[in-house]
Amino acid sequence: MTIDILTIFPEMFDSVLNASILGRARQAGLIEIEATDIRPFSASKHKNTDDYPFGGGAGMLMMAQPIADCMKAVCEKRGVPCLSNLEPHESAGVKRIYLSPRGVPLTQKLAQELSQEEHLILLCGHYEGVDQRVLDKYIDLEVSIGDYVLTGGELGAMVIADCVARLIPGVLGSEESPQDESFSDAGLLEYPQYTRPREFEGMTVPEVLLNGDHAKIAAWRREQAILATAQRRPDLLKTAGLTEKEKQALLRDRS
Ligand code: ADE
């Protein structure tokens, strides 16, 4: 998997891409992630990347030209065609994503779909947005990381790179398996976890986790996952596939 990030602040990515699991995955050659600076592609004398919006209004917009030329250069470097979405075409083996609060919400399901792609190009906007024409022509999908407005798409690109990378086989060690986690296939939030010591500031670890009875531990964890989901994200329960028995137990707990 290759992830290219188009940004006017490539330095923002230095620490995130080199640290922890992402850094290890890059070093191991499991994933290639590169941030490319849009600014040098500006055709203007002062390498401007923004301009006033036609029709007036607050703020500045990112111009189409530097972004389009940066996109073309990155595609050429990777040996993929930079296809225009204004004409019908087959998939080019690359998904071009613009980070925007107007986009489809990023979910674990979308992250799973994106992790199947060979190549992602993430475009980070700034100021009040981007000239619509470059989005119409070169962007395949707009993605939002939540219902709030950031100063730019960079944090969103980091979030996508992180949650997609960890789904690539080999990126997480087996001990860090993504199976049981919140928003995984089970559709439930994760159960609470404990490590040593057995007692911390007067609080003990639930007894069931200490007795080595794996069936009981699994049952307790499932029950705790259902309870946490019911308390924190009841909206997720509808699609979590609870058994009739579990639904009854939940009703009893709540009454
Ligand atoms: N850029 C600004 N706000 C954003 C958001 N919520 N998600 C993705 N990109 C953004």
Side-chain angles (χ1 to χ4, degrees), residues 144-255:
S144 163
I145 62 158
D147 288 341
Y148 41 79
V149 182
L150 300 163
T151 55
E154 282 76 11
L155 290 170
M158 290 176 203
V159 168
I160 292 189
D162 190 277
C163 70
V164 166
R166 63 189 289 291
L167 295 173
I168 291 166
V171 167
L172 295 186
S174 55
E175 71 281 7
E176 303 155 316
S177 155
Q179 273 323 299
D180 268 357
E181 293 169 334
S182 304
F183 306 115
S184 70
D185 291 343
L188 294 170
L189 300 185
E190 207 176 11
Y191 46 80
Q193 305 233 60
Y194 303 85
T195 185
R196 288 188 292 187
R198 283 182 178 219
E199 197 187 318
F200 169 71
E201 296 190 357
M203 298 175 283
T204 53
V205 175
E207 197 59 37
V208 62
L209 299 177
L210 305 174
N211 63 20
D213 183 334
H214 295 295
K216 272 204 181 129
I217 291 171
W220 181 85
R221 285 180 167 165
R222 169 106 186 144
E223 187 187 298
Q224 291 295 314
I226 293 171
L227 280 176
T229 310
Q231 280 164 2
R232 296 162 185 224
R233 292 292 305 275
D235 56 302
L236 296 177
L237 277 183
K238 282 178 243 114
T239 49
L242 298 197
T243 64
E244 271 314 309
K245 217 170 138 195
E246 286 170 337
K247 285 182 193 161
Q248 294 300 326
L250 193 56
L251 282 176
R252 268 201 310 276
D253 274 352
R254 283 163 145 181
S255 59

